Amino acid sequence: MTASGAQASRPLIITSGEPAGVGPDLCVRLAAGGLSAPAVFAGDPDLLKSRAAGLGLDIELVEYRDDMSLPAADGGNAAPPQMFVLPVPLADTVAPGQPSAANGAAVVSMLQQAAQGCLDGRFRAVVTAPVNKALINEAGIAFSGHTEFFQDYAGVPLVVMMLASADLRVALVTTHLPLRHVADAITEARLRSIIEILLHDLRSRFGLASPRILVAGLNPHAGENGYLGREEIDIITPVLDSFRAAGHALIGPLPADTLFTPKVLKGADAVLAMYHDQGLPVLKYQGFGAAANITLGLPFVRTSVDHGTAYDLAGTMNADLGSLQTAVRVALEMTVRA
């Protein structure tokens, strides 16, 4: 069996996220509808069983063990469908839409077990349902987001957040930073490392031999030749020039207000934005509910949904399953290419 074939035979690990949010609902719905590859769901079995019953889903929960041989695929023909669960018990019972900080440690434990399983080679990739960062911090656990958590757990110096829809990929130089700290965080060293990771993973994970990347400027009008800021002149352009001299197709720095127009985007494989709210509002407007959040630069594949916990939709069939389905599909595609 080839390396890619061996990887494809291992199950995905899908974390069910914030217990009071829509994550558990989406997970049981995904399992009930059938999967195209083996998958294990991390979460509290009693919670998942309760959510499935509340949604009227007939599903059999099976406790997952490492020595299990999971079916290669389940097209929804099993009666009832099976959901393989890696048990992570909650400290406190929850009702849909009513979160408890007491469960913060269990939410983080799901992520730890998923990451360790990927590092050990037991899982093919990790797909994450949404969590509540504030609630985890309220539980006394420092947590700024999935992206930063997996970076720290894997012990890598830098990762890149990228969101991808069917028509657009947007990667970020900085992620969850207050706006007043963004400019100071954009250094030549960081920008160079971010671009190296982005180029590497676009080639190795997405099969793009010579990716074409549009790079946004930091300031309005990309600095207006220094009149609206010098970051483009002093930092961004010199880094891009060095990559261009090595034969890479990096275009920019471009004014962000016109970069996302169809004419400019034509032929681009990805956009590199300088900060979170420079690039992601455009992608989410264009493809919300059908996009995946991807962490590049990890020693394993990690994807996630593009939305939050949606407490108001928890316990109902009203949450859109599309983003979780996209995150699973993208994870499978990325691991096939690895």
Side-chain angles (χ1 to χ4, degrees):
M1 182 181 291
T2 64
S4 60
Q7 179 162 263
S9 68
R10 299 194 296 266
L12 296 173
I13 178 74
I14 303 173
T15 61
S16 56
E18 162 56 41
V22 295
D25 302 324
L26 298 175
C27 286
V28 295
R29 289 171 57 192
L30 185 68
L35 292 155
S36 60
V40 175
F41 296 82
D44 185 289
D46 291 335
L47 172 68
L48 294 170
K49 188 180 299 183
S50 173
R51 289 294 184 88
L55 297 176
L57 300 174
D58 185 14
I59 189 169
E60 178 188 0
L61 270 66
V62 180
E63 183 173 336
Y64 174 73
R65 302 185 313 273
D66 285 338
D67 61 355
M68 276 185 169
S69 178
L70 271 60
D74 177 6
N77 296 321
Q82 291 182 319
M83 181 179 192
F84 295 91
V85 178
L86 178 67
V88 184
L90 298 177
D92 189 15
T93 55
V94 294
Q98 299 177 33
S100 168
N103 291 320
V107 173
V108 173
S109 178
M110 292 183 211
L111 305 180
Q112 292 169 334
Q113 294 186 59
Q116 191 60 52
C118 288
L119 290 171
D120 293 342
R122 293 181 288 117
F123 298 126
R124 176 174 177 174
V126 56
V127 178
T128 58
V131 299
N132 183 329
K133 292 187 281 289
L135 206 66
I136 294 172
N137 281 279
E138 189 179 327
I141 303 169
F143 185 88
S144 57
H146 279 111
T147 302
E148 296 82 0
F149 171 86
F150 286 119
Q151 175 187 346
D152 291 343
Y153 196 91
V156 295
L158 191 66
V159 294
V160 177
M161 177 189 287
M162 183 173 79
L163 265 73
S165 67
D167 303 312
L168 182 63
R169 301 183 186 95
V170 177
L172 304 176
V173 176
T174 63
T175 54
H176 299 123
L177 282 180
L179 194 55
R180 67 173 61 250
H181 300 320
V182 167
D184 289 341
I186 299 172
T187 63
E188 285 195 32
R190 180 181 181 86
L191 182 57
R192 185 176 302 281
S193 296
I194 292 284
I195 292 172
E196 287 172 349
I197 292 170
L198 181 57
L199 285 168
H200 176 274
D201 281 21
L202 286 174
R203 291 192 297 257
S204 64
R205 300 291 193 186
F206 292 88
L208 298 168
S210 301
R212 184 173 183 268
I213 302 170
L214 307 185
V215 182
L218 171 65
N219 297 294
H221 302 176
E224 196 79 71
N225 294 321
Y227 290 104
L228 296 177
R230 291 194 55 85
E231 284 82 4
E232 289 77 10
I233 294 172
D234 296 338
I235 298 171
I236 300 173
T237 297
V239 171
L240 298 187
D241 283 344
S242 68
F243 280 96
R244 287 190 278 254
H248 298 291
L250 276 80
I251 296 87
L254 300 171
D257 62 344
T258 55
L259 186 160
F260 290 98
T261 58
K263 181 179 179 180
V264 178
L265 283 174
K266 186 176 181 180
D269 294 305
V271 170
L272 181 60
M274 292 294 125
Y275 57 95
H276 188 280
D277 282 14
Q278 183 184 57
L280 297 194
V282 179
L283 184 136
K284 291 191 176 187
Y285 174 79
Q286 184 251 19
F288 190 70
N293 187 334
I294 304 162
T295 306
L296 306 178
L298 291 170
F300 53 85
V301 168
R302 178 260 168 168
T303 67
S304 185
V305 295
D306 67 351
H307 58 76
T309 54
Y311 289 122
D312 58 322
L313 302 178
T316 76
M317 292 290 281
N318 296 329
D320 191 341
L321 189 57
S323 185
L324 183 58
Q325 291 171 322
T326 299
V328 167
R329 175 182 56 77
V330 171
L332 294 175
E333 291 174 351
M334 290 176 68
T335 49
V336 165
R337 293 191 177 99

